[in-house]
């Protein structure tokens, strides 16, 4: 098994120094702990946060949006009209956050809220024509940036990483992981 100091991580020395320091402290104070599991999720969180920050600051803010607004528009573009509850499930957000976000996107003319034909008390979120155009424009920028980030991996490594992350996500039901309601 490799140790935290085995791999050279020159691109972000402050983060890797912190990660190595965390692993050392955990090993000292909690010798029975699973340092590799901790390192996996510390690294996964850091990678996710770094990528999202880059997407938001280089694409979404300059385009007049946010990472959250992109996710909402993307969900509606892919899935079609959605209830706020279903949008929240797909986006991994709370219903309150989706409600606030939908209000902001509606004010910008990117989506509309309509009463459900099946249940007049429920709302259905729909992209407007402007919202459809916006998500297509922003998706092209997003995907280009995703491609740039993913060039660090071969096609086979990308597929393997997707498979491994899928495996972790499938395992959440086995461990009874909490999910947003």
């Amino acid at each position: 098994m490799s140790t935290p100091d085995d791999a050279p991580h020159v691109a972000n020395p402050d983060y890797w120094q912190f990660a190595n320091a965390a692993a050392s402290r955990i090993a000292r104070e909690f010798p029975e702990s699973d340092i590799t599991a901790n390192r996996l999720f510390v690294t996964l969180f850091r990678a996710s946060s770094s990528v999202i920050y880059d997407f938001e600051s280089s694409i979404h803010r300059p385009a007049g949006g946010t990472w959250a607004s992109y996710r909402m528009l993307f969900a509606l573009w892919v899935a079609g009209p959605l209830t706020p509850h279903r949008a929240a499930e797909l986006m991994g957000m709370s219903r309150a956050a989706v409600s606030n976000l939908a209000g902001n996107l509606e004010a910008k003319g990117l989506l509309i809220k309509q009463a459900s034909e099946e249940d007049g008390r429920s709302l259905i979120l729909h992209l407007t024509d402007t919202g459809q155009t916006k998500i297509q424009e922003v998706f092209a920028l997003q995907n280009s940036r995703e491609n740039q980030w993913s060039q660090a991996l071969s096609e086979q490594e990308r597929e393997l990483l997707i498979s491994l992350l899928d495996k972790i996500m499938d395992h959440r039901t086995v461990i009874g992981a909490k999910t947003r309601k």
Side-chain angles (χ1 to χ4, degrees):
M1 181 173 118
S2 65
T3 63
D5 296 316
D6 286 349
H9 299 289
V10 181
N12 196 346
D14 290 341
Y15 169 71
W16 294 113
Q17 288 170 0
F18 170 77
N20 291 336
S24 295
R25 178 142 192 190
I26 291 167
R28 278 193 317 275
E29 294 190 26
F30 297 93
E32 71 288 349
S33 66
D34 185 340
I35 295 171
T36 306
N38 176 262
R39 183 64 173 255
L40 168 66
F41 288 98
V42 166
T43 303
L44 184 61
F45 178 75
R46 175 59 181 219
S48 177
S49 296
S50 296
V51 169
I52 290 168
Y53 179 79
D54 178 63
F55 290 163
E56 185 154 31
S57 63
S58 65
I59 297 165
H60 303 297
R61 292 269 180 217
T66 63
W67 173 243
S69 66
Y70 170 77
R71 290 170 46 216
M72 169 81 83
L73 296 175
F74 185 78
L76 292 170
W77 181 55
V78 170
L82 296 168
T83 64
H85 176 77
R86 183 67 179 136
E89 287 175 344
L90 292 174
M91 296 167 40
M93 296 177 73
S94 70
R95 284 184 271 181
V98 166
S99 178
N100 289 336
L101 183 56
N104 292 337
L105 293 172
E106 184 177 39
K108 292 181 176 184
L110 301 174
L111 69 77
I112 56 172
K113 301 175 197 171
Q114 293 180 328
S116 169
E117 293 178 8
E118 297 160 3
D119 177 2
R121 298 171 299 167
S122 298
L123 291 175
I124 305 293
L125 307 174
H126 298 262
L127 283 179
T128 63
D129 290 343
T130 303
Q132 180 82 17
T133 299
K134 181 72 167 181
I135 187 57
Q136 289 172 331
E137 291 170 353
V138 175
F139 173 77
L141 299 170
Q142 171 77 25
N143 189 243
S144 176
R145 193 64 172 167
E146 291 165 344
N147 180 272
Q148 291 171 346
W149 273 93
S150 68
Q151 290 301 307
L153 304 174
S154 69
E155 187 66 29
Q156 184 178 10
E157 288 170 329
R158 293 182 210 187
E159 293 297 331
L160 177 59
L161 181 55
I162 291 166
S163 174
L164 294 172
L165 292 172
D166 284 346
K167 193 171 183 177
I168 288 172
M169 291 302 293
D170 289 346
H171 190 65
R172 72 187 185 275
T173 57
V174 172
I175 64 170
K178 304 287 184 204
T179 60
R180 291 193 185 270
K181 303 276 184 208

